[in-house]
Amino acid sequence: MMISFISWFLLPLFTLAVAAGGWPFSAAWPLFSGNFSVTAADPSGRFLLITWAAFAGIFFRFLIRRIIGQAAPFLSAKRELFLTDCAVLLLCTAVLLPYCPQENYLSAALHVAFAFWASVLYFLVLLSIDLKLYFWNPTLFSGTTAALFYSIFAAAALFYLSDFLISTALEIFVVVFSDLLLLTLFKKVCTIQSPS
């Protein structure tokens, strides 16, 4: 129940708050011209981004560990746990580095690189877990596998619409989609473990 509440309500609302630099419905915010790093340029936005990264990273890690724990008889996933830990570390390191390219180019470049590689590792973990579950039970996991592959096209479209920049819209989509995909995988794995 609490996992569903966090996945359906709390994390998406928190993500929108980070995108807006505060309460998500208080002001107009650019979907295709800004991103989380630009929003976090002021101190309150920076604190919000750091808090969000810790919350999202720990919650994703928690869900991935629960999925792997529930599917342990069918899924050998030590590599995925290691990559998840690396992704959380990269994400938290990225948000601790300020993104101010005019003042400190090296810090800004490391911020972007760490955030990018954290996203790549998260995607590889999602892909690996989903494909392992799909090959174990294609009937049950075909929908999540299709959704994961269709999400690549949706992310590419958002990337194109933002003139090939990482935009707020793309970041929101990736976070919320990953969150809901992990929740769906978790619920499906739980149904295998305890058929009712």
Side-chain angles (χ1 to χ4, degrees):
M1 179 70 173
M2 183 57 114
I3 292 173
S4 294
F5 173 75
I6 292 171
S7 290
W8 280 103
F9 180 72
L10 197 57
L11 188 58
L13 189 63
F14 201 179
T15 302
L16 291 175
V18 170
W23 178 245
F25 307 109
S26 62
W29 34 280
L31 281 177
F32 295 105
S33 60
N35 61 34
F36 287 6
S37 301
V38 173
T39 304
D42 68 277
S44 65
R46 184 161 164 71
F47 175 75
L48 192 61
L49 180 66
I50 291 169
T51 307
W52 169 84
F55 179 75
I58 290 168
F59 183 66
F60 281 4
R61 183 180 185 279
F62 168 78
L63 271 179
I64 289 167
R65 289 186 68 83
R66 292 286 301 265
I67 291 166
I68 291 169
Q70 289 287 331
F74 326 110
L75 182 69
S76 172
K78 289 184 181 179
R79 194 173 305 129
E80 286 82 356
L81 290 174
F82 174 73
L83 290 176
T84 300
D85 291 341
C86 290
V88 171
L89 181 64
L90 283 171
L91 179 64
C92 289
T93 304
V95 298
L96 290 173
L97 293 170
Y99 180 75
C100 300
Q102 297 83 7
E103 298 169 16
N104 190 344
Y105 180 77
L106 179 61
S107 174
L110 287 173
H111 170 92
V112 170
F114 289 166
F116 173 77
W117 284 109
S119 301
V120 169
L121 287 177
Y122 272 130
F123 179 77
L124 290 175
V125 167
L126 283 174
L127 182 64
S128 176
I129 290 172
D130 185 66
L131 286 176
K132 284 180 179 183
L133 290 170
Y134 172 77
F135 287 122
W136 175 74
N137 188 338
T139 306
L140 187 60
F141 293 100
S142 61
T144 56
T145 305
L148 186 59
F149 283 111
Y150 287 134
S151 74
I152 296 169
F153 296 108
L158 289 170
F159 193 59
Y160 173 77
L161 289 172
S162 60
D163 294 326
F164 301 102
L165 297 172
I166 304 299
S167 67
T168 301
L170 180 60
E171 289 173 325
I172 291 169
F173 171 76
V174 168
V175 170
V176 173
F177 174 80
S178 300
D179 173 37
L180 297 177
L181 181 74
L182 282 171
L183 177 67
T184 304
L185 287 173
F186 175 67
K187 287 184 175 184
K188 287 184 178 211
V189 166
C190 285
T191 61
I192 294 171
Q193 289 297 87
S194 58
S196 305

